[in-house]
Amino acid sequence: MKILVVQFSSLSEILLTAPVIRVLKSDLQHTVHYVTKKEYFNNLVASPYLDKIHLLEDSTTRLINELSKEKFDYIVDLQSNFQTRVIKAQLGTKSLSLKHLRFKHWLFVNFRLNLLPNVHKVERYMEVVKPLGAKMDSLGLDYFIPHKDEVEENWLPPTHANGYAVFAIGADHATNKLPVKRMIELCDRINKPIILLGGKEDIKSAKEVEKFFQPGSDKEEKAIEDLNKKTVIFNACGKFSINQSASVISKANWVFTHDNTMMHIAAAFKKPIYSVWGNTTPNFGRYPYRTQFTIFENNKLKCRPCSTTGFEKCPKGHFKCMNELVFDFYLPD
């Protein structure tokens, strides 16, 4: 059969669809097309499980005209919103769609009533394609990096040649992200060579972390006095594309991350993950999938979770979910 998989956003959600397209292509031998936004093309183009990628650019009508020529047997709608309902109606093709849990999310956020299924989002995606004969395999997530985006070892400093930890400091919202002071504490606790990864929006925070640990800086004595340790920081925020960042993660010994895209990329490479959660919760089903992981979260708060996504500042004003978070872990030599 010829199948169209639909997921427009976000990149994190697209990464979680990897087992679905792998099983449809590899196990069931279907022809698999994928439709998403133009900005995610480079993150899918190297996948061996996709026969063709269609892109939503400036016109839904143009996209529908393009898709109608393909004569799909089934549409697998993993986005399941108004836009995808329009596309399915226009194509007139049999479809299978994800059922959202919005009401249960609302009950959890507003009344702390957790009626959510104890399953990962990946498994909910796979449930959608069960009528096609799909069964979950044991391979977890995957992520394929185009050769041109592989980061050569000589791109990294000699201090990181014998192994390093990645700290992916970015997050979609401020309440998903540690304050800089706590980032510094976490880096000190890691006490290994660290590569900071993030986008251009993370450069300011990364520079503050980097400066704190620089030898000879005006904060060096404070670092020794308060924390009693030093580590070596390579600040790569804003320097690498997502694929290049994925390449850096693929070579890391450990990955520390907020609830973000890099967490799922690290899971695809089966890295040990230390995952930091603020106002959201792993109970929403998007924790690291099928890899070794440790969750850092503050479960003593009655105000958490306060959102399924995040805010630009703590609604209560205290931000205790991050400010009172305990970093309890040990990294072997």
Side-chain angles (χ1 to χ4, degrees):
M1 287 194 296
K2 191 174 185 179
I3 297 173
L4 175 67
V5 177
V6 183
Q7 178 58 272
F8 289 120
S9 64
S10 63
L11 180 54
S12 291
E13 295 294 335
I14 289 170
L15 295 177
L16 299 183
T17 68
V20 169
I21 62 176
R22 181 178 62 239
V23 167
L24 290 175
K25 181 65 179 178
S26 183
D27 292 358
L28 299 178
Q29 302 296 305
H30 295 312
T31 298
V32 182
H33 289 210
Y34 202 104
V35 60
T36 191
K37 293 179 181 177
K38 182 181 179 180
E39 63 199 83
Y40 303 126
F41 175 77
N42 288 334
N43 308 113
L44 288 168
V45 67
S47 173
Y49 304 118
L50 293 177
D51 295 284
K52 189 172 181 179
I53 301 172
H54 303 269
L55 301 175
L56 175 62
E57 298 186 56
D58 57 349
S59 170
T60 302
T61 301
R62 187 179 304 163
L63 175 63
I64 291 172
N65 289 337
E66 176 185 330
L67 295 176
S68 65
K69 298 175 184 177
E70 298 288 349
K71 307 300 181 184
F72 295 108
D73 296 293
Y74 263 99
I75 298 173
V76 175
D77 180 7
L78 302 181
Q79 183 83 50
S80 198
N81 61 13
F82 175 76
Q83 187 176 42
T84 62
R85 287 195 292 272
V86 170
I87 291 173
K88 288 182 292 187
Q90 290 293 315
L91 294 181
T93 303
K94 291 181 291 186
S95 64
L96 301 166
S97 303
L98 176 73
K99 293 182 180 179
H100 286 293
L101 302 174
R102 294 189 183 96
F103 182 63
K104 292 182 179 180
H105 285 159
W106 183 83
L107 288 174
F108 195 11
V109 168
N110 290 279
F111 299 100
R112 309 296 176 260
L113 180 60
N114 186 3
L115 300 179
L116 295 168
N118 187 24
V119 296
H120 199 281
K121 187 69 173 287
V122 170
E123 293 163 11
R124 292 185 54 231
Y125 280 153
M126 190 61 71
E127 193 73 25
V128 175
V129 292
K130 274 191 175 181
L132 300 178
K135 295 181 180 179
M136 182 67 78
D137 59 21
S138 61
L139 299 180
L141 304 183
D142 47 44
Y143 191 87
F144 301 96
I145 305 170
H147 179 71
K148 65 181 179 62
D149 291 327
E150 290 284 358
V151 174
E152 302 294 335
E153 291 184 6
N154 60 8
W155 288 23
L156 304 179
T159 52
H160 293 62
N162 295 321
Y164 57 84
V166 160
F167 183 8
I169 71 170
D172 290 337
H173 302 276
T175 52
N176 306 135
K177 183 176 179 178
L178 288 167
V180 171
K181 180 182 177 180
R182 305 257 31 221
M183 291 185 193
I184 290 171
E185 291 177 32
L186 178 55
C187 288
D188 181 78
R189 183 77 173 81
I190 293 169
N191 199 29
K192 304 283 185 183
I194 298 172
I195 297 177
L196 301 181
L197 290 180
K200 293 180 179 179
E201 67 278 7
D202 301 307
I203 290 176
K204 181 180 178 181
S205 297
K207 283 184 176 179
E208 292 184 53
V209 176
E210 179 186 24
K211 182 178 179 181
F212 190 93
F213 290 103
Q214 283 177 339
S217 73
D218 57 359
K219 294 188 177 181
E220 181 179 3
E221 290 185 6
K222 186 180 188 312
I224 295 172
E225 178 184 348
D226 292 356
L227 301 177
N228 299 312
K229 300 176 186 176
K230 290 189 291 183
T231 190
V232 181
I233 300 289
F234 174 56
N235 179 8
C237 288
K239 297 177 182 178
F240 292 144
S241 67
I242 292 176
N243 281 341
Q244 289 171 325
S245 296
S247 178
V248 172
I249 286 173
S250 73
K251 300 175 178 67
N253 297 86
W254 312 274
V255 177
F256 291 77
T257 172
H258 299 114
D259 172 21
N260 60 22
T261 298
M262 295 301 153
M263 178 179 73
H264 301 303
I265 289 176
F269 291 110
K270 308 298 185 288
K271 297 297 175 179
I273 297 173
Y274 295 81
S275 182
V276 179
W277 295 73
N279 76 305
T280 58
T281 169
N283 289 316
F284 292 142
R286 294 188 293 267
Y287 47 87
Y289 187 67
R290 294 203 175 180
T291 191
Q292 176 187 336
F293 67 91
T294 299
I295 296 289
F296 298 135
E297 61 177 335
N298 189 346
N299 285 320
K300 298 179 180 179
L301 300 174
K302 294 182 179 180
C303 58
R304 179 177 175 272
C306 62
S307 169
T308 58
T309 53
F311 299 109
E312 292 313 304
K313 62 180 181 178
C314 171
K316 297 289 186 179
H318 52 62
F319 204 23
K320 289 182 178 180
C321 58
M322 287 298 197
N323 285 326
E324 297 183 357
L325 196 61
V326 176
F327 302 128
D328 186 14
F329 66 95
Y330 169 76
L331 296 184
D333 292 328

